Amino acid sequence: YQAADLTNLDTEFQSLKNEIDRVVATSDFNGISVLTGGTVSIQVGSQNTANDRLSVTLTAADTTTLAINASSVTSNANAQTAL
């Protein structure tokens, strides 16, 4: 690829990484952030005991956790590494 092509690809790649982080930061269900990681306790039984709750550990999905935060595609080697 030509340098200009890689620059344009990298601009798009950086925008997509920013969008991933934005989606992670703003996605929630019933007030619980579902993409930032952590543990959620869900009531599954009719009683309010530990046996009636399910604990779910959520893994973060941001670019740092996905290990793509420092990636760029400004060269063929960097693009290969980003894959």
Side-chain angles (χ1 to χ4, degrees):
Y1 293 101
Q2 301 296 321
D5 296 330
L6 292 171
T7 299
N8 291 333
L9 284 170
D10 189 58
T11 299
E12 179 69 16
F13 186 68
Q14 299 307 320
S15 295
L16 291 170
K17 289 192 319 181
N18 291 335
E19 182 65 8
I20 289 170
D21 284 336
R22 186 196 68 76
V23 168
V24 168
T26 60
S27 295
D28 65 61
F29 176 76
N30 201 23
I32 298 170
S33 183
V34 294
L35 297 176
T36 57
T39 302
V40 177
S41 182
I42 303 169
Q43 181 76 26
V44 294
S46 61
Q47 303 296 314
N48 191 19
T49 68
N51 292 334
D52 296 310
R53 288 189 288 280
L54 180 64
S55 183
V56 178
T57 302
L58 304 170
T59 303
D62 61 316
T63 57
T64 301
T65 304
L66 297 173
I68 60 171
N69 61 319
S71 298
S72 70
V73 291
T74 54
S75 70
N76 288 332
N78 287 350
Q80 185 65 34
T81 301
L83 291 175

